[in-house]
């Protein structure tokens, strides 16, 4: 995923693209749980910032060593566009059949945790990060999280991109022109947890490419557990960003400890933790008992999914073990019956208890 600089508003949008091959050469550094190969770093300070970012991320990824390729280069249009600050991706995925059937394709870094073996050859990287060295972007290479007003914090960007390479990525194929979407080659582990506001799996919409597009473009997409509970609201703007939609947290998290993984960053800002929300998402995805967002008997039509400001009416399509439509019908009939009974009681009480002489207005003389 990448940071795309929007010069007019001085903010950076994030962009998810495909993988690149490892460039030969460079030096390997041990950075906590990560071994990073650096190529083309403009200075020792840039190298130090990259390693520091990965050391920070190691506190949230402690159980397997991950090989990272980090290349500094001027990014052209073929690398995601001329205004891209950086990009991160997993260079390979592992079939869910090798780990546990139907859980989704795992990144190499995640698969190592379960298979307890090396998957790539020792010379290959698990994650690739590209950092744009175009002179129009000024990088802050300090590690204290205090970039200047016009500087982009390199530590924050590297942490963001590496997090995508670990687990927050997938294969969604979105076409704005035709307003269609598909799961691409396969569903990733992360894709399995995409859900609507009822906690129902977005995969249920994928049989129809227009429905799948709608569920990804109404600002109402969630990361949900298999029990239907919603863990996080995801980035799903009305005009989808084919490389960013779904794989970032909603802007509702801006200013919170989760905003490292939101869809924008401004110069002069830094965040050096993945935050509690993303940490929870990691824990859920690494639990093989969690199969992904649940399938629901009642599924809200995709074109009726809309912003609800994070509120949830029905958590899983069921209420008191009844399907939602059945529950609503029972509720309406119950209320109607209650009104009829109450009206009858009130009428009886009125005729039996009213005074023989009614005084509607008393006048005092």
């Amino acid at each position: 995923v990448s940071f795309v600089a929007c010069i007019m508003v001085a903010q950076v949008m994030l962009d998810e693209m495909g993988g690149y091959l490892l460039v030969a050469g460079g030096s390997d550094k041990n950075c906590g749980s990560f071994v990073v190969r650096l190529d083309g770093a403009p200075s020792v300070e840039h190298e130090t910032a990259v390693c520091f970012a990965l050391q920070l991320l190691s506190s949230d990824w402690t159980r397997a060593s991950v090989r990272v390729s980090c290349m500094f280069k001027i990014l052209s249009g073929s690398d995601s566009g001329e205004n891209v600050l950086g990009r991160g991706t997993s260079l390979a995925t592992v079939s869910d059949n090798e780990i546990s059937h139907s859980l989704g394709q795992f990144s190499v870094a995640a698969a190592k945790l379960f298979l307890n073996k090396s998957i790539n050859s020792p010379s290959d990287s698990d994650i690739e990060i590209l950092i744009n060295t175009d002179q129009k972007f000024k990088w802050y290479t300090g590690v204290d999280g205090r970039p200047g007003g016009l500087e982009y914090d390199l530590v924050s960007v590297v942490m963001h991109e590496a997090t995508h390479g670990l687990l927050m990525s997938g294969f969604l194929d979105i076409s704005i022109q035709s307003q269609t979407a598909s799961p691409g080659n396969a569903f990733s582990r992360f894709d399995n947890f995409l859900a609507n506001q009822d906690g129902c799996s977005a995969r249920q919409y994928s049989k129809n490419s227009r429905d799948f597009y709608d569920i990804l473009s109404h600002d109402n997409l969630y990361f949900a557990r298999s029990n239907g509970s919603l863990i996080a609201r995801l980035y799903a703007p009305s005009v989808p960003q084919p490389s960013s939609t779904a794989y970032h947290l909603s802007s509702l998290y801006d200013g919170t400890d989760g905003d490292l993984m939101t869809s924008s960053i401004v110069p002069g800002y830094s965040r050096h933790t993945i935050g509690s929300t993303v940490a929870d998402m990691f824990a859920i995805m690494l639990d093989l008992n969690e199969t992904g967002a649940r399938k629901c008997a009642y599924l809200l039509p995709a074109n009726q999914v809309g912003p609800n400001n994070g509120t949830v009416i029905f958590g899983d399509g069921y209420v008191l073990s009844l399907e939602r439509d059945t529950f609503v019908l029972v509720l309406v009939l119950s209320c109607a019956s209650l009104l009829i009974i109450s009206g009858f009681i009130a009428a009886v009480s009125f005729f039996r208890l009213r005074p023989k002489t009614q005084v509607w207005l008393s006048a005092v003389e």
Side-chain angles (χ1 to χ4, degrees), residues 201-251:
S201 174
R203 293 185 62 167
Q204 293 182 262
Y205 295 95
S206 64
K207 294 180 180 179
N208 182 299
S209 59
R210 180 52 194 265
D211 284 349
F212 200 44
Y213 178 90
D214 286 341
I215 198 68
L216 298 174
S217 61
H218 281 72
D219 195 27
N220 209 28
L221 185 67
Y222 296 85
F223 182 99
R225 299 186 67 168
S226 53
N227 64 6
S229 61
L230 305 182
I231 304 303
R233 191 168 180 174
L234 302 174
Y235 180 61
S238 57
V239 178
Q241 303 299 311
S243 317
S244 290
T245 287
Y247 302 120
H248 301 95
L249 296 184
S250 163
S251 59

Side-chain angles (χ1 to χ4, degrees), residues 156 231-233 248-265 269-279 281:
S156 299
I231 304 303
R233 191 168 180 174
H248 301 95
L249 296 184
S250 163
S251 59
L252 290 174
Y253 294 89
D254 285 341
T256 72
D257 77 340
D259 65 5
L260 178 75
M261 299 311 296
T262 56
S263 61
S264 65
I265 188 173
Y269 185 77
S270 68
R271 175 68 67 182
H272 289 183
T273 62
I274 64 171
S276 57
T277 299
V278 175
M281 293 163 68

Side-chain angles (χ1 to χ4, degrees), residues 2 9 20 72 147 281 285 294 311-312 318 327:
S2 354
V9 295
Y20 290 79
F72 289 81
M281 293 163 68
M285 287 187 281
R294 67 185 301 170
T311 59
V312 181
Y318 288 82
F327 175 81

Side-chain angles (χ1 to χ4, degrees), residues 131-143:
I131 301 296
N132 199 344
T133 56
D134 193 308
Q135 292 184 357
K136 64 184 176 182
F137 303 125
K138 187 175 182 181
W139 288 106
Y140 179 69
T141 58
V143 297

Side-chain angles (χ1 to χ4, degrees), residues 5-13 265-267:
C6 300
I7 305 300
M8 295 300 293
V9 295
Q11 76 174 17
V12 175
M13 301 301 292
I265 188 173
V266 295

Side-chain angles (χ1 to χ4, degrees), residues 70-73 85-86 129-133 139 154 157-158:
C70 184
M71 293 181 286
F72 289 81
K73 57 181 286 189
L85 281 175
I129 297 172
L130 299 180
I131 301 296
N132 199 344
T133 56
W139 288 106
L154 184 56
V157 175
V158 171

Side-chain angles (χ1 to χ4, degrees), residues 106-117:
F106 284 78
S107 67
V108 172
K112 286 182 177 181
L113 299 177
F114 303 111
L115 299 179
N116 194 29
K117 66 178 182 179

